Amino acid sequence: MSLYRYVRGREQLLEGVIALLLGRLTSNLDDELAEHWQGFLQDVAHKVRQIAIDHPHAFPLVATRHPAAPWLRPPLRSVEVVDMFLRTLLGHGFTDAQAVDAYRAFSSFLLGQLLLESAVRGAETGPVEEPLDCLLYTSDAADDMQCV
């Protein structure tokens, strides 16, 4: 209970965990050192993967929590990281549309791969909501419905 002297509730606590994890990513990335855009993407992927390896039970939070801005995609939930990502690609000759498409494809692939890897390491990656008892039934008759 003393924890709630510092945070207002569970949501703020979870957002703090995500901010701490992604703060490490932001501080470790340097777009000025990227000679090639491929090297920059590899650096981002390796550093995000290291977060997933170091914190496999916390990493699914990065993937499932709603970002502050609806257009931000996990795991690159930080405006600073997305800005650096897009700026680097634009600096290497990408058009605006190509940079956004690359961001979407890269973040989607990376998220899927790292969630699988986190699950292998024991993280719970299922839905946060309570599952429904039954979604499919064998009959339309109300008195003869059986769970499939």
Side-chain angles (χ1 to χ4, degrees):
M1 293 303 290
S2 65
L3 178 64
Y4 289 108
R5 292 181 194 166
Y6 304 100
V7 293
R8 289 186 219 138
R10 180 177 185 267
E11 298 299 314
Q12 191 177 24
L13 177 64
L14 295 176
E15 287 302 317
V17 169
I18 293 169
L20 178 68
L21 293 176
L22 292 182
R24 294 178 187 167
L25 175 66
T26 305
S27 66
N28 288 333
L29 281 179
D30 190 1
D31 58 337
E32 301 299 323
L33 298 176
E35 290 183 34
H36 304 287
W37 63 269
Q38 297 96 330
F40 176 74
L41 294 184
Q42 288 174 345
D43 190 37
V44 171
H46 287 296
K47 289 182 176 160
V48 174
R49 182 175 183 261
Q50 192 60 52
I51 292 170
I53 289 170
D54 291 344
H55 308 283
H57 295 287
F59 187 77
L61 282 175
V62 174
T64 59
R65 304 293 301 162
H66 297 291
W71 52 270
L72 288 177
R73 297 169 69 105
L76 308 178
R77 298 168 43 104
S78 165
V79 173
E80 293 83 16
V81 174
V82 173
D83 180 56
M84 185 183 300
F85 187 98
L86 295 174
R87 192 175 60 239
T88 299
L89 294 183
L90 292 172
H92 286 288
F94 281 61
T95 66
D96 289 347
Q98 289 171 332
V100 170
D101 288 344
Y103 164 69
R104 288 180 177 154
F106 177 81
S107 59
S108 296
F109 175 79
L110 185 62
L111 176 64
Q113 176 62 33
L114 294 178
L115 280 175
L116 283 173
E117 201 167 327
S118 294
V120 168
R121 296 177 189 277
E124 179 62 45
T125 58
V128 176
E129 300 89 25
E130 292 295 319
L132 296 175
D133 287 339
C134 211
L135 295 176
L136 298 173
Y137 295 92
T138 58
S139 173
D140 289 335
D143 57 346
D144 191 27
M145 293 174 59
Q146 293 185 346
C147 189
V148 178

